[in-house]
Amino acid sequence: MSMTHDPHLAEDVLQDTFVQLLISNVRLAPGKEQTWLYKVAQNRCLDLLKKNRKHDELPPDVPADPDWNRTFIEMISPLTKSEQEIISLKFIGGFSHKEIAHITGTTVAAAKKRYERAIKKLRAEMEVS
């Protein structure tokens, strides 16, 4: 519930995660079950949060244009996967650095530093364009 802040949505995520476990034929090494379940739950949670987020809840800098998603993906494409994830969590998900650190399994300081580096790269990329 720490990611959803909604007990009903958290229950949906939990149910979807275990359904995914039941229908998948994934073979996990002993001791890796918890990591796999957490990652599936994390991805499902992010999907549901994106789906349920209303346009008026987006940060003020984010336009409500349908083409914005494609533009956003193109804009962050020069970044590493880790940086793309942090930028997406911050701008699309609206998560705090503390929440991003929890989601990505890093410290708050590391999440902030990756965010700052990603923003710096994006600014440099925009200056070149």
Side-chain angles (χ1 to χ4, degrees):
M1 195 170 98
S2 66
M3 285 180 63
T4 64
H5 304 288
D6 177 346
H8 300 293
L9 192 56
E11 288 175 4
D12 290 345
V13 169
L14 181 63
Q15 183 177 14
D16 291 349
T17 300
F18 280 95
V19 167
Q20 183 65 35
L21 174 64
L22 291 172
I23 64 172
S24 71
N25 286 330
V26 68
R27 294 181 188 206
L28 301 168
K32 298 294 183 184
E33 300 89 356
Q34 184 177 0
T35 304
W36 184 87
L37 285 170
Y38 178 78
K39 194 64 177 170
V40 171
Q42 176 185 5
N43 290 337
R44 183 64 184 140
C45 184
L46 292 173
D47 290 344
L48 286 173
L49 287 172
K50 287 177 194 174
K51 181 180 173 184
N52 291 337
R53 187 166 295 278
K54 297 176 185 164
H55 290 296
D56 59 358
E57 292 177 352
L58 291 174
D61 296 342
V62 178
D65 181 358
D67 291 330
W68 186 83
N69 191 33
R70 189 187 65 217
T71 303
F72 179 79
I73 291 169
E74 290 171 2
M75 181 182 74
I76 66 170
S77 64
L79 301 176
T80 66
K81 294 292 180 193
S82 166
E83 292 166 338
Q84 288 177 15
E85 179 183 29
I86 287 175
I87 293 294
S88 296
L89 289 169
K90 185 72 174 164
F91 287 103
I92 302 296
F95 293 106
S96 68
H97 290 294
K98 183 178 178 181
E99 291 169 319
I100 292 170
H102 179 73
I103 291 166
T104 59
T106 62
T107 64
V108 175
K112 284 182 181 178
K113 193 63 171 171
R114 287 182 186 160
Y115 173 76
E116 290 168 2
R117 270 193 235 128
I119 292 295
K120 187 175 181 179
K121 279 185 185 179
L122 289 173
R123 284 187 180 137
E125 194 68 32
M126 289 175 78
E127 289 175 4
V128 171
S129 298

